[in-house]
Amino acid sequence: MSDIKKVVLAYSGGLDTSVIIPWLKENYGCEVIAMCADVGQGDELEPVHDKALKSGASKVYIEDLTAGFVEDYVWPTLKAGAVYEGKYLLGTSFARPIIAKALVDIAIKEGADAICHGATGKGNDQVRFELTVKALAPHLKIIAPWRIWNIRSREDAIDYAEKHGIPVPVSKARPYSMDRNIWHLSHEGADLENPANAPTDDVYMITTPPEKAPDKPLYIEVGFEKGNPVSVDGVKLDAVALLTKLNDIGAANGVGIADIVENRLVGMKSRGVYENPGGAILYYAHRELEYLTLDRATLHYKEQVAIRYAELVYDGMWFAPLREALDAFVDSTQQTVSGTVRLKLYKGNIISAGATSPYSLYNEKIVTFGDSEELYNHGDAEGFINLFGLPLKVRAMMKAEAKKNNE
């Protein structure tokens, strides 16, 4: 431990990371630099700065990563159509790599020997933090207190904080473990640990429960350029402003609640309830535009890519060569994914209400039930079906001949 003189800690200002600062100094005798990442969680970060210093940090960085988070992590995942196990829009998963990258950047700048995080030994986040460090700065040591210290419960952490005079206001009003950024808010723990329990309305901190949403549907239009969202109702917005606006719209209409028992990377199942109002709208709208602009083979292959992409993001492999290679494929598919999608939002539902694109592959002259002989000859279908079905015909003939010979 004596070779670790300076550590950069991923600091949130909560109970665990506040306790970690004096614990690191006590057990390693090292200098601790705190880094708090702003990924649009909406917290007031100035008190966090002072709290870290009072807890023993020698220096505090507050990094505004929100714009980069949306543009460089959220949008690529959206364009890939990546959804983990059919429900989870990866809100925590792709936030960890950008936070870990900031930790690495500061560690290199400060000449630190190690980085430290407060992720538990049962969760996915420890993997996401540490794989990023290994990918970007393998020389840095990693300290994960929850895997090695004697603190085993919230009560233990509170006792440690009180003993060391650490200012940690603890509230038992909300018993859930939560993670929030501009993309989502997650809830785990307490009564949600039993999958038989439906979430109560007081779980939701962003989204209006669907049955309490307005009785009148709301229509919105989302514009895309090469797969990236660029406008809402015809007004062009930067990435942060656009997502913020859609979060407000979706939340007011009860959109984006996901309840999933998911398979954690570390081998166990866990139950999470996610609020993703803006994200749900964007995924739906983006998919609608792809239906219009991607050919059948590309769309179907991209569906397979989306599953693998989601697994890579969930598993903390953001900086893996495979994810970067898949990005190249996805970006190629998005060259024509431009246009406008109209949606109807009503009591938690997202309903298609039309889409237009200058690159639409939908040709009414071909698909119409009316006369379209110059573009589509109905007689051509017979030859196509004969060739397409030839293997089936040959197999049936073989089975008939085999049966005859065995009689």
Side-chain angles (χ1 to χ4, degrees), residues 282-297:
L282 286 171
Y283 264 82
Y284 193 104
H286 181 262
R287 182 67 167 167
E288 288 296 290
L289 197 55
E290 287 192 326
Y291 285 139
L292 202 60
T293 59
L294 296 186
D295 65 275
R296 179 175 183 262

Side-chain angles (χ1 to χ4, degrees), residues 61-103:
Y61 285 84
I62 296 180
E63 301 290 285
D64 185 357
L65 308 176
T66 308
F69 173 52
V70 178
E71 294 169 1
D72 301 331
Y73 292 76
V74 177
W75 281 181
T77 308
L78 167 68
K79 289 190 292 185
V83 181
Y84 186 68
E85 297 188 337
K87 283 188 177 182
Y88 176 40
L89 300 189
L90 299 163
T92 300
S93 306
F94 50 34
R96 296 306 181 238
I98 191 173
I99 295 170
K101 183 179 184 302
L103 284 172

Side-chain angles (χ1 to χ4, degrees), residues 140-349:
L140 289 174
K141 294 180 175 61
I142 298 169
I143 302 173
W146 274 104
R147 299 202 295 252
I148 56 177
W149 65 8
N150 293 323
I151 296 174
R152 289 291 176 264
S153 66
R154 184 180 181 84
E155 290 70 29
D156 289 348
I158 293 172
D159 290 342
Y160 189 94
E162 290 177 349
K163 179 180 177 182
H164 290 78
I166 300 169
V168 182
V170 177
S171 171
K172 296 183 179 179
R174 291 194 62 80
Y176 305 108
S177 173
M178 296 179 292
D179 177 75
R180 184 172 185 172
N181 55 51
I182 191 173
W183 183 248
H184 90 152
L185 174 60
S186 66
H187 311 272
E188 294 179 332
D191 58 303
L192 297 179
E193 290 186 345
N194 184 346
N197 293 331
T200 57
D201 285 353
D202 62 357
V203 168
Y204 309 121
M205 297 181 65
I206 299 175
T207 312
T208 302
E211 63 272 17
K212 296 179 181 178
D215 294 327
K216 182 179 179 181
L218 176 72
Y219 288 86
I220 62 168
E221 291 186 351
V222 183
F224 291 84
E225 292 179 3
K226 295 186 176 182
N228 289 313
V230 295
S231 67
V232 177
D233 293 332
V235 179
K236 288 212 169 188
L237 299 167
D238 64 53
V240 172
L242 183 146
L243 182 52
T244 300
K245 185 175 183 66
L246 289 181
N247 276 335
D248 293 341
I249 292 172
N253 288 275
V255 165
I257 296 171
D259 186 343
I260 177 175
V261 175
E262 70 198 53
N263 288 292
R264 283 184 181 173
L265 175 62
V266 294
M268 68 189 77
K269 286 184 181 288
S270 65
R271 197 271 189 95
V273 175
Y274 301 99
E275 297 181 68
N276 254 122
I281 292 171
L282 286 171
Y283 264 82
Y284 193 104
H286 181 262
R287 182 67 167 167
E288 288 296 290
L289 197 55
E290 287 192 326
Y291 285 139
L292 202 60
T293 59
L294 296 186
D295 65 275
R296 179 175 183 262
T298 302
L299 179 67
H300 289 186
Y301 194 80
K302 187 171 179 289
E303 290 177 326
Q304 300 175 49
V305 168
I307 294 172
R308 188 69 183 103
Y309 197 106
E311 290 173 346
L312 289 167
V313 176
Y314 188 86
D315 293 351
M317 299 291 285
W318 185 267
F319 293 101
L322 177 56
R323 191 208 58 84
E324 294 170 354
L326 293 181
D327 259 353
F329 166 77
V330 170
D331 285 342
S332 177
T333 69
Q334 300 299 290
Q335 296 307 300
T336 58
V337 184
S338 298
T340 302
V341 179
R342 191 166 187 253
L343 301 172
K344 178 169 71 172
L345 309 182
Y346 182 66
K347 290 188 176 295
N349 295 292

Side-chain angles (χ1 to χ4, degrees), residues 4-9 24 28 30-34 112-116 143:
I4 296 178
K5 305 297 182 184
K6 187 183 293 188
V7 177
V8 179
L9 166 68
L24 285 170
Y28 290 82
C30 61
E31 177 185 352
V32 180
I33 297 171
D113 310 296
I115 65 100
C116 179
I143 302 173

